[in-house]
Amino acid sequence: MCASRWNVKSEEKKKLVEELAEYHSSLNVKRLYNEPDHKTSKDWLAEVAAIFKNLDETDFQRFIDLRKHLYPSIPFVTRKHAAEQIDGFVRDKLAAFKRYDFSHLDAPEEETVDNTPIGENKEIRIFLSYSSLNKVSVGKIKSWLANLGFTVFLAHEDIEPSLEWQKEIIKNLENCHIFIPIITKEFTESKWTDQESGIAFIRKKLIIPVSVGGYNPHGFIGIYQGLSIGRDELEKGCIRMVKTIIKNKKYASKVIDQLIDSLGKSRTFASSEWKTSIISEYESFTKEQFDLLLRTSAENNQVYVAAGVREDLKKLIKEHKNLVDSKLLKKLNDKDLDFSFG
């Protein structure tokens, strides 16, 4: 078997899936939990672990975690539950892998693929995966995220009709930093969204599933907890998406830069308030970021007049006193709008 899944061509991947299917068909769940130390059980676990290792590292780690509960010293009830979980896990993964099209692995590397790390002048790229039947609602999500400085790709909106659309989608999946599937009833019925999810999963993108109307992640992304939102809560959903991104250390600082820049361009109190509600939860500001936040707040009346913004700023200044520039604080207090930060 190949040591690295990045260098495995489609036929080799398919062979690994076939091997996994063969091992699953030979699984004796009862022996697995009754006789975990038997050579047959040990060999089966080792071979399946090796296949997962070459298919996907995340699946491998999950399998290893389940396997830990099969030692003879573990209580019988726990062993039985672990063996049944392993059976279900392998079955679910097989179903997902069988639906996945590995053919893109055989294509030459696209020159247009941009793998440049996030830097000062790089925008964070988001791929929104969705059913075209939900394009109106998802279009609103794109607008809100773009307003915060993200570059957002919507397949059915952003691809010119004359382009080879599947190739274009794969290119944008390769280029994106964050994959956000909008999971609705229509999403679960679309074969192509499963393909998009599989590519994002294999490419180890940051995946943030959004569950709308009670529909949950499945297939490749079934291991992720979805952000649950109602159909009439899309704006709140966007705020939760961005707050989730900020929890990722790789992107957090860049998102804060984007939010502060976007705050300076706010044209309504509401827009300013939901931006600062996100910013106020960040804890690792640099001195430059905090200075820019105060300066931006003092220079835009759609920011400093908004009641919700003032409350967020009070909270931030109290929590980050060591970063506060007295001249910038005076600029805010000069607005005579009760900036009594204490």
Side-chain angles (χ1 to χ4, degrees):
M1 294 183 183
C2 298
S4 171
R5 63 189 178 89
W6 299 113
N7 298 320
V8 180
K9 299 299 183 181
S10 62
E11 289 306 315
E12 292 173 296
K13 281 286 193 181
K14 291 175 184 175
K15 184 169 178 55
L16 288 172
V17 175
E18 290 171 2
E19 288 181 27
L20 185 62
E22 290 175 6
Y23 275 105
H24 185 247
S25 67
S26 69
L27 171 61
N28 184 329
V29 177
K30 190 173 182 179
R31 163 163 276 180
L32 199 60
Y33 63 75
N34 271 320
E35 303 177 66
D37 243 6
H38 193 281
K39 184 178 186 303
T40 302
S41 298
K42 286 186 172 182
D43 288 348
W44 188 91
L45 290 167
E47 289 296 332
V48 173
I51 292 172
F52 275 128
K53 181 70 174 177
N54 286 281
L55 275 172
D56 187 85
E57 183 69 27
T58 302
D59 291 341
F60 169 71
Q61 291 299 332
R62 174 60 177 154
F63 184 79
I64 294 301
D65 288 341
L66 291 172
R67 194 175 71 176
K68 290 176 182 176
H69 300 289
L70 284 174
Y71 291 106
S73 58
I74 301 292
F76 175 82
V77 173
T78 303
R79 293 203 311 268
K80 181 179 179 184
H81 182 60
E84 290 169 347
Q85 279 193 305
I86 285 174
D87 179 30
F89 177 73
V90 176
R91 183 187 300 110
D92 290 346
K93 287 301 171 182
L94 265 174
F97 279 123
K98 285 178 178 178
R99 289 196 303 269
Y100 184 65
D101 181 6
F102 291 108
S103 61
H104 71 282
L105 295 172
D106 298 323
E109 186 72 18
E110 292 283 349
E111 292 182 1
T112 52
V113 172
D114 180 2
N115 293 316
T116 309
I118 296 294
E120 183 178 352
N121 299 315
K122 299 292 293 182
E123 294 174 337
I124 297 175
R125 296 182 292 275
I126 293 175
F127 188 107
L128 286 177
S129 179
Y130 70 107
S131 164
S132 59
L133 297 174
N134 307 131
K135 64 182 179 182
V136 174
S137 297
V138 180
K140 293 178 181 178
I141 293 175
K142 175 184 176 177
S143 296
W144 282 321
L145 292 174
N147 185 31
L148 298 180
F150 295 100
T151 297
V152 186
F153 178 81
L154 239 60
H156 300 279
E157 177 179 310
D158 291 346
I159 295 177
E160 295 293 333
S162 59
L163 294 176
E164 299 175 21
W165 65 279
Q166 290 192 13
K167 186 176 180 181
E168 188 71 6
I169 285 177
I170 290 173
K171 182 191 77 175
N172 280 278
L173 278 167
E174 296 279 4
N175 280 337
C176 79
H177 300 105
I178 301 167
F179 179 78
I180 302 180
I182 309 300
I183 304 171
T184 60
K185 178 179 183 293
E186 295 79 12
F187 180 98
T188 63
E189 296 170 350
S190 167
K191 292 181 180 179
W192 185 251
T193 54
D194 273 352
Q195 295 291 324
E196 293 172 351
S197 298
I199 294 172
F201 181 81
I202 293 295
R203 290 291 185 259
K204 290 195 174 293
K205 303 296 181 180
L206 172 60
I207 299 176
I208 304 174
V210 176
S211 300
V212 182
Y215 292 91
N216 296 313
H218 63 280
F220 276 94
I221 59 175
I223 62 172
Y224 297 97
Q225 180 69 40
L227 294 178
S228 182
I229 64 172
R231 288 184 179 273
D232 58 346
E233 298 178 324
L234 296 181
E235 185 170 353
K236 290 181 181 178
C238 285
I239 294 173
R240 292 178 65 195
M241 289 177 218
V242 179
K243 287 182 177 180
T244 301
I245 296 171
I246 288 177
K247 292 177 182 178
N248 185 287
K249 293 181 180 180
K250 182 176 180 180
Y251 302 117
S253 184
K254 179 59 182 175
V255 175
I256 291 299
D257 289 342
Q258 290 180 185
L259 284 170
I260 295 172
D261 179 69
S262 175
L263 184 65
K265 300 171 184 174
S266 289
R267 294 294 174 263
T268 66
F269 295 155
S271 175
S272 299
E273 287 177 345
W274 64 269
K275 289 171 186 175
T276 56
S277 73
I278 302 172
I279 293 171
S280 66
E281 295 192 10
Y282 188 60
E283 299 179 350
S284 303
F285 293 95
T286 64
K287 182 69 167 64
E288 292 76 15
Q289 286 173 327
F290 210 80
D291 284 352
L292 184 58
L293 173 62
L294 296 186
R295 187 178 299 108
T296 295
S297 301
E299 292 174 353
N300 185 344
N301 66 355
Q302 295 301 305
V303 178
Y304 63 73
V305 176
V309 171
R310 294 201 300 277
E311 291 307 309
D312 286 333
L313 287 176
K314 290 177 183 180
K315 171 180 176 287
L316 284 166
I317 290 173
K318 182 177 180 180
E319 293 175 350
H320 303 279
K321 289 181 179 179
N322 60 313
L323 298 178
V324 177
D325 184 297
S326 57
K327 292 181 180 178
L328 293 175
L329 183 58
K330 185 177 184 302
K331 273 192 174 184
L332 283 170
N333 283 316
D334 285 347
K335 302 301 177 184
D336 196 26
L337 289 169
D338 188 28
F339 282 107
S340 53
F341 299 108

